[in-house]
Amino acid sequence: MGNVITGEKEFFKGIGQIQFEGLESDNPLAFRWYDENRVVAGKTLKDHFKFACSYWHSFNGTGADPFGGASHIFPWDEKTDVIERAKDKMDAAFEFITKMNLPYYCFHDVDLVDYGNDVVENERRLAAIVEYAKEKQAESGVKLLWATANLFSHRRYMNGASTNPDFHVLAHGAAQVKAALDATIALKGENYVFWGGREGYMSLLNTNMKREQEHLAGFLHAAKDYARANGFTGNFFIEPKPCEPTKHQYDYDAATVLGFLQKYDLLGDFKINLEVNHATLAGHTMQHEMQVAADAGLLGSLDANRGDYQNGWDTDQFPNNAGELTECMLVFLEAGGLKGGGVNFDAKIRRNSTDRADLFYAHIGGMDTFAHALIAADAILQKSDYKKVREDRYASFDSGKGKAYEEGKLTLQDLRDYAVENGEPATISGKQEYMENVINRYV
Ligand code: XLS
Ligand code: NI
Ligand code: NI
């Protein structure tokens, strides 16, 4: 356990550091599954997950929605001086992160400190709060999993940032990314994320899609070249999402991003940050998205949350479904974990969750659900016939003509002759229900 760090003022009074108490515990402010030192599949839970707190949802998100303003009134939001206010927020953030024993955090530039319209002044503000963050990181041992630039909230980005038809807007986006990369490097951030907030379009009637995507690729190359020249050795991640805020987002899903990275020669430096709710919106399961990324060697990082199956937007709720997550953790373990990233809670408490403790309950639930799911998935892989049943389905490709086919040795004529010689194939069950029961036996 690390040490709890508070500023001059304690913001989450009455709540100490959250401890692991095990399954017998009925303490709502304790972990039941997440024992950070527990070794599963050769690694501690702490190292498997590299759990991160997302600054935007936890310390900026006020509970506002299209029908009403803030319902979360933050005591760290009171001072009038921009930097002083940002420092209070950072005190609150590190107090929460260390009380939760989260090893990492993630932020957008504008989460740390408010931005205005003056590029040089914004750079000064970010650099000032980064100095403070350095002290906080050193004092607590908390690390930066990834940072990013918010290129979607300001109205100048309403037609996109790097895909904006106006070059002048693109340049402003670049200025923000440069400062965010400088901040990442200064804070020894392990990764840098691009979520294409408004990189997409609403109507093809006014859009040159090809040109916009080329601009996006050029932007990513420029950002990567700058970061590499300035000593950044971490990963760049693209975070796919199919829609919202634009109708057609260019980074639709993992398969689309893979094609984009290939086409524009970005594969060496970029991997994928997958978000559960975005998979849902794309009409996929999260395990599908993870498998696509893993098969391409691009399973970089995860944004943990969940959507709502009854509606079609990004509700960003905390994960709480151990069964679904167990299927994801099967992919996770078989892929050998994440490439450089971790599990970031890109999730928010509800508008009407207004107790200070609610943020703790949310993260405890999310961390426990991940731990539970990983332990179950490991048991499935170790003890059940899950892998064998799947392997056996492909046994006809392990020898003879099937093997020769996989090796590229058979022609279409050869395949036709095999069909004739061997007659009608036997009926072979896919055993889906059997496999579903195997999963539930271990959850
Ligand atoms: C929004 C995205 C965003 C990214 C970071 O839907 O999930 O929060 O993770 O810009
Ligand atoms: Ni996200
Ligand atoms: Ni999202």
Side-chain angles (χ1 to χ4, degrees), residues 57 195 239 241 244 275 277-278 303 305 314 316 346:
H57 284 309
W195 168 57
E239 183 177 324
K241 185 173 184 179
E244 197 206 59
E275 179 165 321
N277 203 162
H278 298 181
D303 269 6
N305 60 21
D314 204 6
D316 289 338
D346 194 352

